[in-house]
Amino acid sequence: MVDFWQIIQNAAVEIISPTTAAYALAALGLAIHFGFTGLINFGQAGFMAIGAYGYGISTLTFHFPVWGAVLVGVGGSIVFALILGIPTLRLRADYLAIVTIAASEILRLVFTTNTLDFVTGSADGLSGYKGGFAALNPIPKGTYGFGPFTMNEYDLWLRIVAWVIVAIAILLAWQLMRSPWGRVIKGIREDEDAVRALGKNVYFYKMQSLILGGVFGTIAGMIFILPRAIVPANYATTLTFFIYTILLLGGAATIFGPVAGSIIFWVVLSAVSGFIARAQAAGWFDFIGMSSVQAGQSRFIIVGIVLMLLVIFRPQGIFGNKKELAFVK
Amino acid sequence: MSSDAKPTRGAPVKSINLHVGEIEPGVAKVDAIIVADNVTRTFGGLTAVDVAHVEIPRNAITALIGPNGAGKTTFFNLLTGFDKPDTGTWTFLGKSLAGIPSFKVARLGQVRTFQLTKALSLLTVLDNMKLGAKGQKGENMFAALLPWLWRKQEEEIEAKAIVLLEKFKLDTKSEDFAASLSGGQRKLLEMARALMSDPTLVMLDEPMAGVNPALTQSLLDHILDLKTQGMTVLFVEHDMQMVRHIADWVIVMAEGKIVAEGPPDAVMANPAVIDAYLGSHHDQDLGEDDPETIHAMKELLDADDES
């Protein structure tokens, strides 16, 4: 028998999970790039990897305190954005897409290579860097929450920190996008030559946007590794495309869309995979001969179909204004 | 600029005696706002612009005319920093502009519009206007986070934008997306937006192209009004009626060179110009008609349109 109550409980856990917060923050960074400025960044996974490894390596190899490790990650992502942006932001939008996807793959392969095993742990990745963050926890030891949201003091601390960061990022992005700065940024999305003709330094604004969205991605990368270990395989291009899915689900040119998109994405993904796994075990799919391995993979097929339907039937996302942004211009 | 200045009606007041000495291509002006020397631009083997010397008179309306592919838009792009010349220097208000990027050119008070209108479609009409204002404190990323630093300036900009929108009869549309405007209204919006920066020189690339005849008169009045307010206008146009009606001075380009200039009536009496525009060889270039050159020019023009 399929235990629907268990499926619902497992899905509900995702609503406030730190992973959901991390994806929401990364998607908000991408909204600044893609939705508001029109920069096609296909390397958000690279920015997240810099956050993860910047934090992990500074902590494990150099024994930095938490704030030092965070600064290393953020500094690394600013340098990464400059390296990507200086040669490409003067060119057409598609060049940035090509360069970002390649650069984030280069980063992942550098982190995977055996030569750097002593710092990056190569394919095994890194773990054991959570001590500093856990030591900052003011919450006494114990069990908190109720029902599916029952957790220990570390998990509660992590959730509070993650969602407070997301809330601050939302406030920042909201204030920026309703300011004259945001007006220039949106103007660049529409037609950068027109904005240039009005005396704005378009290149400089695009660079600021690339850095800001990239730093959001980097901090998301740090939140992402606190409930788990750093594994280089996590930073493949699929990560970037999951974040795009979340962004388009919520609405590309919106502030709250990325958060709502992330919550919906993870809840639906958890519910779908929970249902398929249990239904397969209960023999519901025996008529097509589905194995348990196939059941595990099929959730991504369903996510892919949902993404396609979304782009076709609701290109502006759940919260987007259809007039303001219809997917890709 | 004053809000109550009514667009001029009837026959415009023409500025005369703009030049010094004999009228010929490259003649000196009494008071020049732009002086360009030896400006050339080639695309592959084709010389698109090859201007030996030209001066644009200040506080007058100058038309830049010429057959398709004469290099007018390319020359425009060079003067505004949107394209880089192979050789040449030019000054704007006595300041050398060669090699200065387009956004700095605009900040110096030389704004332009585009042949293919660039309304920022998914911004409201009002936001389009506000974007045109210069020196906004809130356009700094860090100041943007502190609204009390720029709120007052923002209100002033909005008030100025509304006055201009009323003048251009777009005030009822101020909250609509620019995408919802008609082609002619977008031309008006683009011009109004350019005026938000209080420019010294307004450069209009084909302001009449694709404009509904009902809006033509209003657009002409607005251009004449710019001169009344002390601005200088340089425009590229194909419509000879318009050129005759509002221009104080006409510069004719063909194959990248300046082949004639002078007051409108004198220029239009010039046989070379008549031949190019009004005569039997209406669609052909001035000078020698080498079929290969015409082909290359057409390709160039297509490239211009896409850019």
Side-chain angles (χ1 to χ4, degrees), chain A residues 172 175-176 179-181 183-184 186-187 189-191 193-194 196-201 205 208 212 323-324, chain B residues 82 102-103 106-107 118 120-123 127 130-131 133 136 138-139 141 144-145 147 150 154 177 193:
Chain A
L172 272 176
Q175 177 56 37
L176 280 174
S179 75
W181 186 85
R183 190 158 63 217
V184 178
K186 287 186 254 182
R189 175 188 74 199
E190 296 304 312
D191 191 319
D193 274 344
R196 210 170 267 140
L198 295 172
K200 319 292 176 194
N201 188 348
Y205 281 99
Q208 288 179 336
L212 181 69
K323 279 193 287 184
E324 181 158 3
Chain B
F82 276 84
S102 50
F103 74 92
R107 285 181 190 173
K118 292 185 187 293
L120 304 167
S121 315
L122 301 180
L123 259 59
D127 275 347
K130 286 174 169 177
L131 196 58
Q136 297 190 43
E139 288 183 354
M141 189 164 144
L145 294 170
W150 45 264
E154 180 82 355
F177 283 124
R193 190 175 66 194

Side-chain angles (χ1 to χ4, degrees), chain B residues 160-235:
Chain B
K160 184 177 174 185
I162 288 170
V163 168
L164 270 172
L165 284 176
E166 278 167 5
K167 205 160 146 190
F168 281 78
K169 303 217 164 43
L170 290 168
D171 47 325
T172 51
K173 304 263 182 193
S174 65
E175 295 306 318
D176 295 355
F177 283 124
S180 70
L181 299 182
S182 74
Q185 286 173 324
R186 286 183 206 193
K187 287 264 177 204
L188 286 173
L189 173 62
E190 202 184 15
M191 199 190 290
R193 190 175 66 194
L195 297 183
M196 282 296 287
S197 65
D198 297 326
T200 326
L201 170 63
V202 183
M203 297 176 65
L204 307 168
D205 196 350
E206 301 208 15
M208 289 298 156
V211 174
N212 165 355
L215 273 174
T216 312
Q217 188 57 43
S218 136
L219 205 54
L220 286 178
D221 287 342
H222 285 303
I223 295 174
L224 287 167
D225 198 32
L226 299 180
K227 190 174 86 168
T228 340
Q229 291 173 29
M231 287 175 242
T232 304
V233 180
L234 175 65
F235 70 97

Side-chain angles (χ1 to χ4, degrees), chain B residues 41-291:
Chain B
R41 176 73 169 102
T42 55
F43 295 102
L46 178 75
T47 305
V49 169
D50 182 8
V51 171
H53 181 82
V54 72
E55 299 185 9
I56 311 290
R58 192 202 304 255
N59 196 16
I61 299 177
T62 303
L64 185 59
I65 64 169
N68 287 340
K72 305 181 298 291
T73 296
T74 310
F75 188 51
F76 237 61
N77 287 343
L78 294 172
L79 289 182
T80 48
F82 276 84
D83 193 4
K84 289 197 168 58
D86 300 334
T87 66
T89 54
W90 62 98
T91 59
F92 169 66
L93 295 168
K95 190 179 183 337
S96 175
L97 277 194
I100 303 273
S102 50
F103 74 92
K104 286 190 181 159
V105 172
R107 285 181 190 173
L108 288 171
Q110 182 187 326
V111 298
R112 69 168 295 179
T113 65
F114 294 86
Q115 186 175 353
L116 299 171
T117 322
K118 292 185 187 293
L120 304 167
S121 315
L122 301 180
L123 259 59
T124 64
V125 169
L126 189 60
D127 275 347
N128 262 273
M129 293 294 288
K130 286 174 169 177
L131 196 58
K134 281 200 289 197
Q136 297 190 43
K137 294 185 197 110
E139 288 183 354
N140 176 296
M141 189 164 144
F142 299 103
L145 294 170
L146 311 168
W148 55 90
L149 289 181
W150 45 264
R151 197 171 284 140
K152 190 165 170 289
Q153 192 191 26
E154 180 82 355
E155 282 163 11
E156 289 163 11
I157 290 168
E158 184 160 334
K160 184 177 174 185
I162 288 170
V163 168
L164 270 172
L165 284 176
E166 278 167 5
K167 205 160 146 190
F168 281 78
K169 303 217 164 43
L170 290 168
D171 47 325
T172 51
K173 304 263 182 193
S174 65
E175 295 306 318
D176 295 355
F177 283 124
S180 70
L181 299 182
S182 74
Q185 286 173 324
R186 286 183 206 193
K187 287 264 177 204
L188 286 173
L189 173 62
E190 202 184 15
M191 199 190 290
R193 190 175 66 194
L195 297 183
M196 282 296 287
S197 65
D198 297 326
T200 326
L201 170 63
V202 183
M203 297 176 65
L204 307 168
D205 196 350
E206 301 208 15
M208 289 298 156
V211 174
N212 165 355
L215 273 174
T216 312
Q217 188 57 43
S218 136
L219 205 54
L220 286 178
D221 287 342
H222 285 303
I223 295 174
L224 287 167
D225 198 32
L226 299 180
K227 190 174 86 168
T228 340
Q229 291 173 29
M231 287 175 242
T232 304
V233 180
L234 175 65
F235 70 97
V236 169
E237 191 49 69
H238 279 297
D239 180 346
M240 296 308 276
Q241 273 310 109
M242 172 187 171
V243 171
R244 192 192 294 275
H245 186 62
I246 68 167
D248 302 314
W249 193 262
V250 178
I251 297 173
V252 188
M253 280 183 85
E255 296 189 338
K257 293 188 173 62
I258 293 187
V259 294
E261 61 176 300
D265 290 334
V267 164
M268 281 172 206
N270 184 324
V273 180
I274 292 173
D275 192 38
Y277 268 103
L278 312 166
S280 50
H281 307 293
H282 171 74
D283 252 338
Q284 293 177 13
D285 287 348
L286 293 180
E288 303 223 341
D289 290 329
D290 172 17

Side-chain angles (χ1 to χ4, degrees), chain A residues 76-141:
Chain A
S77 110
I78 292 173
V79 172
F80 187 56
L82 289 172
I83 292 172
L84 293 178
I86 288 171
T88 56
L89 289 182
R90 288 185 202 278
L91 306 172
R92 275 205 329 263
D94 15 359
Y95 289 91
L96 183 70
I98 297 164
V99 168
T100 47
I101 201 167
S104 75
E105 279 296 276
I106 290 169
L107 270 184
R108 181 177 67 86
L109 295 170
V110 167
F111 289 135
T112 315
T113 179
N114 283 329
T115 319
L116 296 174
D117 187 53
F118 62 102
V119 259
T120 62
S122 71
D124 299 332
L126 297 170
S127 57
Y129 46 77
K130 295 174 197 166
F133 178 74
L136 293 176
N137 188 356
I139 301 164
K141 217 170 160 46

